[in-house]
Amino acid sequence: MKKGLLYSVLAAGMILSACNDDNSLSRSVIDFEFTLPTFESGSASVDVKSGKFTFTNVTTQVETEFDYGQQIILSDGLYNVKFVGLGLMDGSEVSVQGAQTNITVTGGNLNMKLQLYVINNQADFVIMEVFPTGTVTPDNKAYIGDQYFKLYNNSDQTLYADGLFIAESQFLTTTKYEYNPDIMEDYFTAISIFMIPGNGTDYPVAPGDSLIICDNAINHMESNANSFDLTGADFEWYAESTSSSNQDIDNPAVPNLVQVYKSSSTLWILNKQGNKAYTIGRFPEGVTADNYMSEYGYSCNYVMVTGAVSKDFTYYKIPNSWIIDAVNLSPKNTYVWNNTANSLDMGFTYVGVNAATAENYGNAVRRRELLTQPDGRVVLKNTNNSAVDFIPAYRASGLR
Amino acid sequence: MIRRIFVATLLCMGIWNVYSNPVIIVADSLGRDTIQLDKRLPEVLVTAAESKKATSASVINTQAMQHLQPSGFGDLLELLPGGSSTTPNMNKANLIQIREAGSSSEVMSSLGVKFVIDGMALDNDANLQSIPGQDNDRDFVSKGVDMRSISTDNIESVEIVRGIASVVHGDLTSGLVNVIRKSNNSPFQARVKVDEYGKIFSAGKGFLLRDALVLNTDVSYVDSRTDPRNVVENYKRLSFSGRFNGDKKGDNFNLKWNLNMDYTGSFDNEKTDPEVTTAKEDRYKSTYNKASLSGGMKWTFRNAGPYTQLDVKGALSQSFDRLEQTKLVSLSRPTPVSTSSTTGVADGEYLPSQYVATMVVDGKPLLANLNLINRFDLNIGQSSSKILAGGEWAYKKNHGEGRVFDFTRPMSTSSRVRPRSYSEIPASSTMSFFVEENLSLPIGDHKLEVMAGVRSMSLMNLDSRFKMNGKVYLDPRFNLQYKFPDVNIAGHDVKFDISAGLGWQSKAPTLSMIYPDMMYEDIIQLNYYHNNPDYRKVNMQTYEWDNTNYDLEPARNLKKEIRAGASFNGYNISVTYFRENMNNGFRNTGMWHSFAYKNYDYSGIDSESITSAPQLEDMTFTQDTLMKVYNRWDNESRTDKEGVEFSMSTRRFELIKTRFTVTGAWFRTKVSNAGMQYYQPSSTVINGKPLNVVGIYNWENGSEKQSFNTNFMFDTYLRRLGLIFSTSLQCTWFSSSRPLWNDGTPVAYVDVAGNVHSFADADMSDPSMQALVQSYSQGYFDSQVKPFIGNLNLKATKEIGKSVRIALFVNSLVTVCPDYYIGSTLIRRSSAPYFGMELNIKI
């Protein structure tokens, strides 16, 4: 089934740019057309009822908001735009949202298309915390052996963690290249994929419970008094290193994740600047850790800064439909683009405003609490928009 | 008839050394002293002059150097055809490149150029000051001479031979830099130069001690920074020199002798800024202290028939080199380290999570050199034949303590280096013989000059396993010049000549290439990290092997060139076409090794219940093999050079007191490999296992670079005002680079057992074998062309009175660099001016 409905936002076609003598800034009027995604059920149409546009000027970081239906008039410039709203689909109210980065606003009267997504509220595991920055030793040296993820059962029933994968993006959120072919709308390109072992019912997680998955499930305070003890972690990722001089460490008392794919020949170290996106999900029937790589290669190249075309690279891709949660991380001041489709994550969160790792040690990103059920179970916020779902620059819970 | 010899120095306005040669004063029959001097004031030359001899060479004199205001020797290279001004970069070794487009990563570029100062080689082949595994621009082991260490202030003239050098000079492939230092009675001279990157002070004087004995002394000091704002990273050089030159006249001979004593200290420092850093301990310091003594005696015989000259030179130099590095190493996970440095199995230990690693590299290269040349004159009919024959012995030895450190506390956990004593490395001893005929044969009004010679090279003191042992390598070299008769046009003679040359030049491998470090691999067999420190256990298999390449041979460069030169009434023009091919240059290339080890499975051990560290006997193991590619030196580098060099100069136009010089060159340099390439895609992990095969590729791994540039220089000399003003427009019309094509597919692969299999099409579908195939996007092999870039450089020198001269320069005052597109990407270029001033005093 091809397209959902096309929707139009009204906008007056007035051109204010040329005749505004007392203000030298040119202004443009923008007319938005909403496009709905293909994977929404075919018959359904979404009727956008209300919402809010947020335009962020990329150069000045100034945010301008417009209500749905309001005429959008902006100074010319480069903008990132987000729309968060409510709509009606098959008679029930749904949340819709969409975003686009780096749109050039110039030339008076613009017609733009914005892809909208209906937020999937099906409760499952969510990424609760990502701690990529590491800590510092008492002598002020970086220590990154204590990186971890925290996953959370956000549903009201016991879920099994067996077969859940964690993947880190191949690309950086701070450097954008034009990849050819560009498959981001449908796939997530991964640099590392590790999977929780199990036969399907080995690792139950009760509603409201969480899992700690770390690089090294050891007592890090032995090496670094400023770190914490991770011997109680649920899983650790043990990376098969081809380098005899750079081997991972394995605590025999903590189960290891299954290594599905790892681009690095040595360890899997999370990007400590927080420049990457992370996803979790499950492989469908028939796809296993062993046969994944033979089926999901992604050969591409890109235009380098020198203008020349790069070598061909073979990366590995994960269809968006396998992914149940995603988060994009980027230092706020150096953000360029998301490494996931907008349908997975519309915004980004950050471990620090600046890319300087020295000021971001000990910082994680943490999902916000939405509400507490009468039984005490905390429901975390999951609107597929990391910018609002996460607490940025959160002091890692291991350090609290 | 008493004849006396003086050294007469004639100064033009007290500054320019116009004439400073011994002159013979003859008492005539009336008892009057007469002196014969060429009274014409010579031309002031602030550019390099193209040599009129058979081989192509650029000659740079003191005036040109004074006007150029160099910070180091490397600055002089902008005067060569194809050269252009560069901004100093004193935080890394300054390496030379001759007749090459773009910058090269091949060691041969700089290693193949020989530096000779006052007849003695400046040799760096016994330098071993590096920390293996650390890529450091500051070290220059096996890269030839670091031009930062050469002071320019005591230089009388420099000849840079780009063509085929005389057989007197060996152990070189691409070129020769022949430096002649001042050796005459001269006034006290001092120079202070200040620019954005540093300061230079120098002072020197030539003393006439007594008749026919001159002592030249000088001192110079350089203090430079990488960046004017950076106070913690710097380079300093201090040098002294004392040179005696004397003459003695016997009944049948003249003896000229010299004795030189030199000291050069180079100090490279880097500290971390204590206020901003998180690692206060980290520092890097590299010092070179070199003392040398050299001398020569040259007898010129008058009544010995055809035997005319005996020229003996000797040199001894001892360098005290020390590199010290301290680094605070902080680890993010427990990391095992081997405690064994021989092949075998041993328990390892875990490194502390934080420690201070130190390394001292102590090198004491001792160089000795003896050089003997006999010269004969044979004149038959109208032809004159000058024959030289001689030999050279060079000895290189490093007596240093070597790399001293604790290998269980390494600088880098990936380092597999063990301590090594340099004094155990055998000495290198090279013997060469040479003979050369210089024939001058008039053919009517025409004249043919022939320079034909051959030089041998044998490396002695080598183990019999070396292919070089007992071998004699011969370098025949020929240069011809044909001079046409002068044609008189409008009262001026037109001179025209054509030269051609063909010759081989060879360079012996350096000490570090012949005697590389032993190689080590430490493979972890068991890494059991229990929560209880008492129950942990590391077991490692260590391998040690000799990485010597016994097949190493001298690199040999075949040079061919043809040149046409003409001069007319002060106008000179010269065009040279050259080709050079070197198929066996030195390169550090990959060679595979495989190592068996045991992979212990500790899953059977119950970590909850054990009461002591597990024993290997309690575990099962799987036999495994590690396959890796390690680098070693071989003769795999291939360099093909081609180009056209041209220079043109006018006479000084009297009306505007200006001379116009154009120099330039087009170079094409292709660098690739001579043999098969071993390559292992290191990043490929298939099902958790590394790819244990190594691909063998028959591809050209390298690039082809081109550049075409022209420098236009206008120099104005206002004698009355004592002002020299030069404007140099340096234009690079284009430069380009393209990777050499290859299809990315291996021809074969080696498995862990060492069996070579041919790579069939069927292997392409095997996902693990697929990793051996490199794929390239369309356009990857396209040439990247950078369009025009032009720089305008200004230099001015003003003489104030007789003893003070001030000079200033601005390089890249104006830069024209149009934006251009590569594909759809817009490339913008920019450039910052580099400027400075200097003061010269002459008393």
Side-chain angles (χ1 to χ4, degrees), chain A residues 139-141 144-145 215-216 222-223 231 240 242 244-245 248 250-251 263 265 301 306-310 312, chain B residues 278 328 331-333 353-354 416 521 524 527 529 531 536 602 682-683 688 690 774-775 777 784 822 825 827:
Chain A
D139 283 318
N140 255 347
K141 282 283 215 177
I144 48 167
D215 186 354
N216 300 305
E222 259 186 56
S223 312
T231 49
E240 301 271 357
T242 64
S244 51
S245 60
D248 209 347
D250 178 22
N251 182 346
S263 156
S265 59
N301 56 51
T306 58
V309 180
S310 74
D312 281 0
Chain B
T278 57
L328 176 67
L331 302 173
S332 280
R333 68 193 69 226
S353 59
Q354 189 162 299
R416 291 301 190 234
E521 185 58 77
I524 298 168
N527 183 1
Y529 193 85
N531 284 334
R536 293 172 190 169
Y602 49 81
S682 62
S683 64
Q774 302 281 302
S775 74
S777 57
Q784 303 254 335
I822 293 181
T825 307
I827 310 286

Short mmCIF file of all heavy atoms in Angstrom, two decimals, chain A residues 139-141 144-145 215-216 222-223 231 240 242 244-245 248 250-251 263 265 301 306-310 312, chain B residues 278 328 331-333 353-354 416 521 524 527 529 531 536 602 682-683 688 690 774-775 777 784 822 825 827:
data_model
loop_
_atom_site.label_atom_id
_atom_site.label_comp_id
_atom_site.label_asym_id
_atom_site.label_seq_id
_atom_site.Cartn_x
_atom_site.Cartn_y
_atom_site.Cartn_z
N ASP A 139 43.72 10.73 39.26
CA ASP A 139 44.77 11.50 38.61
C ASP A 139 44.30 12.18 37.33
O ASP A 139 45.12 12.55 36.47
CB ASP A 139 45.95 10.60 38.28
CG ASP A 139 46.79 10.32 39.51
OD1 ASP A 139 47.00 11.26 40.29
OD2 ASP A 139 47.19 9.16 39.70
N ASN A 140 42.98 12.27 37.17
CA ASN A 140 42.42 12.99 36.04
C ASN A 140 42.65 12.33 34.69
O ASN A 140 42.75 12.99 33.67
CB ASN A 140 43.00 14.41 35.98
CG ASN A 140 41.98 15.41 36.45
OD1 ASN A 140 40.80 15.09 36.58
ND2 ASN A 140 42.41 16.63 36.69
N LYS A 141 42.78 11.03 34.68
CA LYS A 141 42.92 10.32 33.41
C LYS A 141 41.58 9.69 33.06
O LYS A 141 40.84 9.23 33.93
CB LYS A 141 43.98 9.22 33.54
CG LYS A 141 45.39 9.74 33.47
CD LYS A 141 45.75 10.05 32.04
CE LYS A 141 47.20 9.75 31.74
NZ LYS A 141 47.54 9.99 30.35
N ILE A 144 37.41 4.40 30.65
CA ILE A 144 36.18 4.12 29.91
C ILE A 144 35.75 2.67 30.02
O ILE A 144 34.88 2.22 29.30
CB ILE A 144 36.34 4.48 28.41
CG1 ILE A 144 37.63 3.90 27.87
CG2 ILE A 144 36.23 5.97 28.18
CD1 ILE A 144 37.73 3.94 26.38
N GLY A 145 36.36 1.92 30.92
CA GLY A 145 36.00 0.51 31.04
C GLY A 145 34.64 0.28 31.68
O GLY A 145 34.13 -0.83 31.71
N ASP A 215 30.26 -3.15 29.55
CA ASP A 215 31.43 -3.64 28.84
C ASP A 215 32.17 -4.65 29.71
O ASP A 215 32.41 -5.77 29.31
CB ASP A 215 32.33 -2.43 28.50
CG ASP A 215 33.52 -2.81 27.64
OD1 ASP A 215 33.71 -4.02 27.40
OD2 ASP A 215 34.24 -1.92 27.19
N ASN A 216 32.48 -4.23 30.94
CA ASN A 216 33.23 -5.11 31.84
C ASN A 216 32.51 -5.18 33.18
O ASN A 216 32.47 -4.20 33.91
CB ASN A 216 34.64 -4.57 32.07
CG ASN A 216 35.42 -4.47 30.77
OD1 ASN A 216 35.55 -5.45 30.04
ND2 ASN A 216 35.90 -3.28 30.46
N GLU A 222 38.51 -1.06 41.86
CA GLU A 222 39.86 -1.61 42.02
C GLU A 222 40.87 -0.80 41.23
O GLU A 222 42.02 -0.64 41.64
CB GLU A 222 39.90 -3.05 41.48
CG GLU A 222 39.82 -4.12 42.52
CD GLU A 222 40.01 -5.49 41.88
OE1 GLU A 222 41.03 -5.72 41.21
OE2 GLU A 222 39.10 -6.34 42.05
N SER A 223 40.46 -0.31 40.05
CA SER A 223 41.38 0.44 39.20
C SER A 223 41.19 1.93 39.34
O SER A 223 42.12 2.70 39.15
CB SER A 223 41.13 0.11 37.73
OG SER A 223 41.05 -1.26 37.52
N THR A 231 30.14 -5.60 39.19
CA THR A 231 30.12 -7.07 39.25
C THR A 231 28.69 -7.59 39.29
O THR A 231 28.45 -8.75 38.96
CB THR A 231 30.88 -7.59 40.48
OG1 THR A 231 30.43 -6.87 41.62
CG2 THR A 231 32.38 -7.40 40.32
N GLU A 240 35.32 -10.36 20.89
CA GLU A 240 36.38 -11.22 20.37
C GLU A 240 37.36 -10.31 19.64
O GLU A 240 37.04 -9.73 18.62
CB GLU A 240 35.81 -12.22 19.35
CG GLU A 240 34.74 -13.11 19.91
CD GLU A 240 35.31 -14.38 20.52
OE1 GLU A 240 36.53 -14.55 20.46
OE2 GLU A 240 34.51 -15.16 21.06
N THR A 242 40.86 -9.58 17.61
CA THR A 242 41.86 -10.26 16.80
C THR A 242 43.26 -9.81 17.17
O THR A 242 44.24 -10.33 16.68
CB THR A 242 41.67 -9.98 15.31
OG1 THR A 242 41.88 -8.59 15.10
CG2 THR A 242 40.29 -10.36 14.85
N SER A 244 46.23 -9.60 19.59
CA SER A 244 46.69 -10.29 20.80
C SER A 244 47.07 -9.29 21.88
O SER A 244 47.19 -9.64 23.04
CB SER A 244 47.87 -11.18 20.45
OG SER A 244 48.84 -10.42 19.74
N SER A 245 47.27 -8.04 21.50
CA SER A 245 47.69 -7.07 22.50
C SER A 245 46.53 -6.26 23.04
O SER A 245 46.71 -5.44 23.92
CB SER A 245 48.71 -6.12 21.89
OG SER A 245 48.14 -5.45 20.80
N ASP A 248 39.79 -8.20 25.36
CA ASP A 248 38.75 -7.83 26.30
C ASP A 248 38.91 -8.68 27.57
O ASP A 248 39.62 -9.68 27.57
CB ASP A 248 37.38 -8.07 25.66
CG ASP A 248 36.34 -7.11 26.21
OD1 ASP A 248 36.63 -6.46 27.24
OD2 ASP A 248 35.26 -7.01 25.62
N ASP A 250 37.00 -10.78 30.71
CA ASP A 250 35.75 -11.52 30.88
C ASP A 250 35.61 -11.94 32.33
O ASP A 250 36.47 -12.64 32.87
CB ASP A 250 35.80 -12.76 29.96
CG ASP A 250 34.56 -13.62 30.11
OD1 ASP A 250 33.52 -13.08 30.57
OD2 ASP A 250 34.63 -14.81 29.77
N ASN A 251 34.55 -11.49 32.96
CA ASN A 251 34.27 -11.97 34.32
C ASN A 251 33.50 -13.28 34.16
O ASN A 251 32.38 -13.28 33.66
CB ASN A 251 33.43 -10.94 35.07
CG ASN A 251 33.16 -11.38 36.50
OD1 ASN A 251 33.36 -12.54 36.85
ND2 ASN A 251 32.69 -10.45 37.31
N SER A 263 32.47 -4.12 13.85
CA SER A 263 33.35 -3.59 12.81
C SER A 263 34.79 -3.55 13.31
O SER A 263 35.73 -3.83 12.57
CB SER A 263 32.88 -2.19 12.42
OG SER A 263 33.92 -1.46 11.87
N SER A 265 38.20 -4.58 14.98
CA SER A 265 38.87 -5.87 15.10
C SER A 265 39.23 -6.15 16.55
O SER A 265 39.71 -7.22 16.87
CB SER A 265 40.13 -5.88 14.25
OG SER A 265 40.99 -4.86 14.68
N ASN A 301 29.18 4.08 -0.67
CA ASN A 301 30.31 5.01 -0.62
C ASN A 301 29.75 6.39 -0.35
O ASN A 301 28.53 6.58 -0.29
CB ASN A 301 31.13 4.96 -1.91
CG ASN A 301 30.29 5.24 -3.13
OD1 ASN A 301 29.57 6.23 -3.19
ND2 ASN A 301 30.36 4.35 -4.12
N THR A 306 37.05 16.18 0.52
CA THR A 306 37.89 16.63 -0.59
C THR A 306 37.10 16.69 -1.89
O THR A 306 37.62 17.17 -2.88
CB THR A 306 39.05 15.65 -0.80
OG1 THR A 306 38.49 14.36 -1.07
CG2 THR A 306 39.96 15.58 0.39
N GLY A 307 35.89 16.19 -1.88
CA GLY A 307 35.09 16.19 -3.09
C GLY A 307 35.17 14.88 -3.83
O GLY A 307 34.34 14.59 -4.69
N ALA A 308 36.17 14.07 -3.50
CA ALA A 308 36.32 12.79 -4.18
C ALA A 308 35.36 11.77 -3.58
O ALA A 308 34.91 11.92 -2.44
CB ALA A 308 37.75 12.30 -4.06
N VAL A 309 35.07 10.74 -4.34
CA VAL A 309 34.20 9.68 -3.86
C VAL A 309 35.06 8.68 -3.09
O VAL A 309 36.17 8.35 -3.51
CB VAL A 309 33.49 9.00 -5.04
CG1 VAL A 309 32.58 7.90 -4.55
CG2 VAL A 309 32.71 10.03 -5.83
N SER A 310 34.56 8.24 -1.97
CA SER A 310 35.33 7.32 -1.13
C SER A 310 35.40 5.95 -1.78
O SER A 310 34.73 5.67 -2.77
CB SER A 310 34.66 7.20 0.22
OG SER A 310 33.49 6.41 0.09
N ASP A 312 34.49 1.94 -1.69
CA ASP A 312 33.25 1.27 -1.29
C ASP A 312 33.46 0.64 0.08
O ASP A 312 34.47 0.00 0.32
CB ASP A 312 32.90 0.18 -2.29
CG ASP A 312 32.26 0.76 -3.54
OD1 ASP A 312 32.11 1.99 -3.59
OD2 ASP A 312 31.92 -0.02 -4.44
N THR B 278 45.76 16.98 31.80
CA THR B 278 45.37 15.99 32.79
C THR B 278 46.52 15.01 33.01
O THR B 278 46.38 14.07 33.74
CB THR B 278 44.14 15.21 32.31
OG1 THR B 278 44.46 14.63 31.05
CG2 THR B 278 42.95 16.11 32.17
N LEU B 328 52.22 8.96 31.52
CA LEU B 328 51.34 8.36 32.51
C LEU B 328 50.33 7.52 31.74
O LEU B 328 49.57 8.03 30.93
CB LEU B 328 50.63 9.45 33.32
CG LEU B 328 49.61 8.95 34.33
CD1 LEU B 328 50.27 8.17 35.45
CD2 LEU B 328 48.81 10.10 34.90
N LEU B 331 44.81 2.70 32.31
CA LEU B 331 44.10 1.67 31.55
C LEU B 331 42.64 1.62 31.96
O LEU B 331 42.30 1.83 33.11
CB LEU B 331 44.75 0.32 31.80
CG LEU B 331 46.23 0.24 31.45
CD1 LEU B 331 46.80 -1.08 31.90
CD2 LEU B 331 46.43 0.44 29.96
N SER B 332 41.80 1.30 31.00
CA SER B 332 40.38 1.26 31.27
C SER B 332 39.86 -0.14 31.52
O SER B 332 38.69 -0.32 31.77
CB SER B 332 39.61 1.86 30.09
OG SER B 332 39.64 3.25 30.19
N ARG B 333 40.74 -1.12 31.41
CA ARG B 333 40.31 -2.48 31.74
C ARG B 333 41.56 -3.26 32.12
O ARG B 333 42.65 -2.90 31.69
CB ARG B 333 39.57 -3.12 30.57
CG ARG B 333 40.42 -3.43 29.36
CD ARG B 333 39.55 -3.76 28.17
NE ARG B 333 38.84 -2.57 27.73
CZ ARG B 333 37.54 -2.54 27.43
NH1 ARG B 333 36.82 -3.62 27.50
NH2 ARG B 333 36.98 -1.42 27.05
N SER B 353 46.44 -0.50 36.95
CA SER B 353 45.51 0.30 36.15
C SER B 353 46.12 1.65 35.80
O SER B 353 45.69 2.31 34.87
CB SER B 353 44.19 0.48 36.87
OG SER B 353 44.43 1.13 38.10
N GLN B 354 47.10 2.05 36.56
CA GLN B 354 47.76 3.32 36.25
C GLN B 354 49.24 3.22 36.61
O GLN B 354 49.58 2.73 37.68
CB GLN B 354 47.09 4.43 37.05
CG GLN B 354 47.55 5.81 36.63
CD GLN B 354 46.57 6.86 37.11
OE1 GLN B 354 45.42 6.87 36.74
NE2 GLN B 354 47.02 7.74 37.95
N ARG B 416 54.91 -4.34 21.51
CA ARG B 416 55.52 -5.64 21.74
C ARG B 416 57.04 -5.51 21.79
O ARG B 416 57.76 -6.43 21.46
CB ARG B 416 55.13 -6.60 20.61
CG ARG B 416 53.67 -6.99 20.63
CD ARG B 416 53.36 -7.66 21.94
NE ARG B 416 52.06 -8.27 21.97
CZ ARG B 416 51.15 -8.02 22.90
NH1 ARG B 416 51.39 -7.11 23.82
NH2 ARG B 416 50.01 -8.65 22.91
N GLU B 521 55.76 -11.49 19.67
CA GLU B 521 54.30 -11.54 19.73
C GLU B 521 53.95 -12.26 21.02
O GLU B 521 54.51 -13.32 21.32
CB GLU B 521 53.73 -12.26 18.51
CG GLU B 521 52.23 -12.26 18.42
CD GLU B 521 51.64 -10.85 18.39
OE1 GLU B 521 51.70 -10.18 17.35
OE2 GLU B 521 51.14 -10.43 19.45
N ILE B 524 47.70 -14.25 24.33
CA ILE B 524 47.06 -14.63 25.61
C ILE B 524 46.40 -15.99 25.40
O ILE B 524 45.56 -16.15 24.51
CB ILE B 524 46.03 -13.56 26.02
CG1 ILE B 524 46.74 -12.23 26.25
CG2 ILE B 524 45.28 -14.00 27.27
CD1 ILE B 524 45.81 -11.06 26.37
N ASN B 527 42.93 -15.84 30.08
CA ASN B 527 42.76 -14.54 30.73
C ASN B 527 41.58 -14.69 31.68
O ASN B 527 40.44 -14.46 31.33
CB ASN B 527 42.49 -13.49 29.64
CG ASN B 527 42.38 -12.08 30.20
OD1 ASN B 527 42.51 -11.86 31.39
ND2 ASN B 527 42.11 -11.13 29.32
N TYR B 529 39.81 -13.57 34.77
CA TYR B 529 39.73 -12.43 35.68
C TYR B 529 38.60 -12.65 36.67
O TYR B 529 37.45 -12.32 36.41
CB TYR B 529 39.52 -11.14 34.88
CG TYR B 529 39.73 -9.90 35.71
CD1 TYR B 529 41.02 -9.39 35.87
CD2 TYR B 529 38.68 -9.25 36.33
CE1 TYR B 529 41.23 -8.25 36.63
CE2 TYR B 529 38.88 -8.12 37.09
CZ TYR B 529 40.17 -7.62 37.24
OH TYR B 529 40.38 -6.50 38.00
N ASN B 531 36.55 -12.22 40.25
CA ASN B 531 36.27 -11.08 41.13
C ASN B 531 37.25 -11.03 42.30
O ASN B 531 37.57 -9.96 42.81
CB ASN B 531 34.84 -11.15 41.67
CG ASN B 531 33.83 -10.75 40.60
OD1 ASN B 531 34.16 -10.00 39.69
ND2 ASN B 531 32.61 -11.26 40.70
N ARG B 536 42.89 -14.99 40.08
CA ARG B 536 43.08 -14.60 38.67
C ARG B 536 44.29 -15.30 38.07
O ARG B 536 45.26 -15.58 38.78
CB ARG B 536 43.27 -13.08 38.58
CG ARG B 536 42.00 -12.35 38.96
CD ARG B 536 42.18 -10.86 39.08
NE ARG B 536 40.97 -10.30 39.68
CZ ARG B 536 40.85 -9.06 40.12
NH1 ARG B 536 41.88 -8.23 40.05
NH2 ARG B 536 39.73 -8.65 40.65
N TYR B 602 37.70 -21.85 30.04
CA TYR B 602 37.50 -21.87 31.50
C TYR B 602 36.03 -21.98 31.87
O TYR B 602 35.65 -21.79 33.01
CB TYR B 602 38.13 -20.63 32.15
CG TYR B 602 37.77 -19.32 31.49
CD1 TYR B 602 36.57 -18.70 31.78
CD2 TYR B 602 38.64 -18.72 30.59
CE1 TYR B 602 36.23 -17.50 31.18
CE2 TYR B 602 38.31 -17.53 29.98
CZ TYR B 602 37.10 -16.92 30.29
OH TYR B 602 36.78 -15.74 29.69
N SER B 682 42.39 -6.28 8.61
CA SER B 682 42.49 -6.49 10.05
C SER B 682 41.14 -6.36 10.74
O SER B 682 40.92 -6.91 11.79
CB SER B 682 43.47 -5.49 10.63
OG SER B 682 42.98 -4.20 10.40
N SER B 683 40.25 -5.60 10.13
CA SER B 683 39.03 -5.29 10.87
C SER B 683 37.95 -6.34 10.65
O SER B 683 36.82 -6.15 11.06
CB SER B 683 38.52 -3.92 10.45
OG SER B 683 38.17 -3.95 9.10
N GLY B 688 32.98 -13.97 15.20
CA GLY B 688 33.80 -13.83 16.39
C GLY B 688 35.24 -14.22 16.20
O GLY B 688 36.04 -14.15 17.12
N PRO B 690 38.91 -13.87 14.00
CA PRO B 690 39.59 -13.07 12.98
C PRO B 690 39.75 -13.88 11.70
O PRO B 690 39.71 -15.10 11.72
CB PRO B 690 40.96 -12.79 13.61
CG PRO B 690 41.14 -13.86 14.62
CD PRO B 690 39.78 -14.24 15.10
N GLN B 774 39.01 -5.84 -2.09
CA GLN B 774 38.79 -4.42 -1.86
C GLN B 774 37.93 -3.90 -3.00
O GLN B 774 38.20 -4.20 -4.16
CB GLN B 774 40.13 -3.67 -1.93
CG GLN B 774 41.15 -4.17 -0.96
CD GLN B 774 40.88 -3.64 0.42
OE1 GLN B 774 40.84 -2.45 0.63
NE2 GLN B 774 40.64 -4.53 1.35
N SER B 775 36.91 -3.13 -2.67
CA SER B 775 36.14 -2.58 -3.78
C SER B 775 36.24 -1.06 -3.75
O SER B 775 36.39 -0.45 -2.70
CB SER B 775 34.69 -3.05 -3.70
OG SER B 775 34.02 -2.37 -2.68
N SER B 777 34.87 2.70 -5.38
CA SER B 777 33.76 3.35 -6.05
C SER B 777 34.23 3.92 -7.38
O SER B 777 35.42 4.12 -7.60
CB SER B 777 33.24 4.47 -5.18
OG SER B 777 34.29 5.35 -4.91
N GLN B 784 43.00 13.81 -8.90
CA GLN B 784 42.51 14.99 -8.19
C GLN B 784 43.41 16.15 -8.57
O GLN B 784 44.59 16.13 -8.24
CB GLN B 784 42.62 14.77 -6.69
CG GLN B 784 41.90 13.56 -6.19
CD GLN B 784 40.65 13.94 -5.46
OE1 GLN B 784 40.55 15.04 -4.94
NE2 GLN B 784 39.69 13.06 -5.46
N ILE B 822 35.59 19.70 -6.64
CA ILE B 822 35.89 18.31 -6.93
C ILE B 822 34.55 17.62 -6.84
O ILE B 822 33.93 17.59 -5.78
CB ILE B 822 36.89 17.71 -5.93
CG1 ILE B 822 38.24 18.38 -6.09
CG2 ILE B 822 37.02 16.20 -6.15
CD1 ILE B 822 39.30 17.85 -5.18
N THR B 825 31.74 19.11 -4.62
CA THR B 825 32.21 19.76 -3.40
C THR B 825 33.07 20.97 -3.73
O THR B 825 34.02 20.88 -4.51
CB THR B 825 33.03 18.76 -2.57
OG1 THR B 825 32.25 17.59 -2.38
CG2 THR B 825 33.41 19.34 -1.22
N ILE B 827 35.87 23.48 -2.94
CA ILE B 827 37.08 23.51 -2.12
C ILE B 827 37.57 24.95 -2.06
O ILE B 827 37.81 25.58 -3.09
CB ILE B 827 38.18 22.62 -2.72
CG1 ILE B 827 37.67 21.23 -3.05
CG2 ILE B 827 39.41 22.57 -1.81
CD1 ILE B 827 37.42 20.32 -1.88
#
